[in-house]
Amino acid sequence: MAAIGTCVEIAHKLITFPQGKTQTFCNVIKLGTFCRTVVWPCLPPLMMYQYIRAKDEDCYMTEVLYYKSGSKDAKAFYDTSRIGISGHWRIQQDMETIRAAANQE
């Protein structure tokens, strides 16, 4: 039990060490200010950009698959009447496999 207490004490000293000197404390404040004013405001637009790119790539792949299949039934690849992502052809296929396994006839 004493060893665990020693380990916790050492971990606490490692975490609180950067606040030991005045200059280090000021650098931590400067770094925090930089993160709040520069980094955090940039994150939401970057995240939205990545989301849109991934969504666009997924839709593009579905369109290419539809085009190359020669099918005239677009709802077989993406059914807009279904809720959320369940209209995607791969999700439909997976759900049908699950349904077939769960409801064996």
Side-chain angles (χ1 to χ4, degrees), residues 42-54:
C42 294
L43 282 180
L46 285 174
M47 291 169 58
M48 189 61 120
Y49 174 70
Q50 290 295 332
Y51 171 77
I52 290 170
R53 275 189 57 200

Side-chain angles (χ1 to χ4, degrees), residues 23-43:
Q23 186 61 39
T24 309
F25 187 70
C26 289
N27 287 339
V28 169
I29 291 173
K30 288 177 186 176
L31 182 64
T33 303
F34 176 76
C35 286
R36 280 194 309 276
T37 56
V38 176
V39 176
W40 285 114
C42 294
L43 282 180

Side-chain angles (χ1 to χ4, degrees), residues 82 86 88-105:
R82 292 184 177 238
S86 65
H88 192 277
W89 69 274
R90 189 68 180 168
I91 300 294
Q92 290 178 15
Q93 182 182 5
D94 293 344
M95 292 304 287
E96 182 59 30
T97 303
I98 293 169
R99 188 201 62 75
N103 301 323
Q104 293 178 354
E105 297 172 4

Side-chain angles (χ1 to χ4, degrees), residues 44-72:
L46 285 174
M47 291 169 58
M48 189 61 120
Y49 174 70
Q50 290 295 332
Y51 171 77
I52 290 170
R53 275 189 57 200
K55 195 71 159 164
D56 186 43
E57 184 179 343
D58 185 41
C59 290
Y60 174 73
M61 291 298 176
T62 304
E63 289 176 13
V64 168
L65 181 65
Y66 169 66
Y67 174 75
K68 290 193 177 201
S69 72
S71 175
K72 300 295 178 197

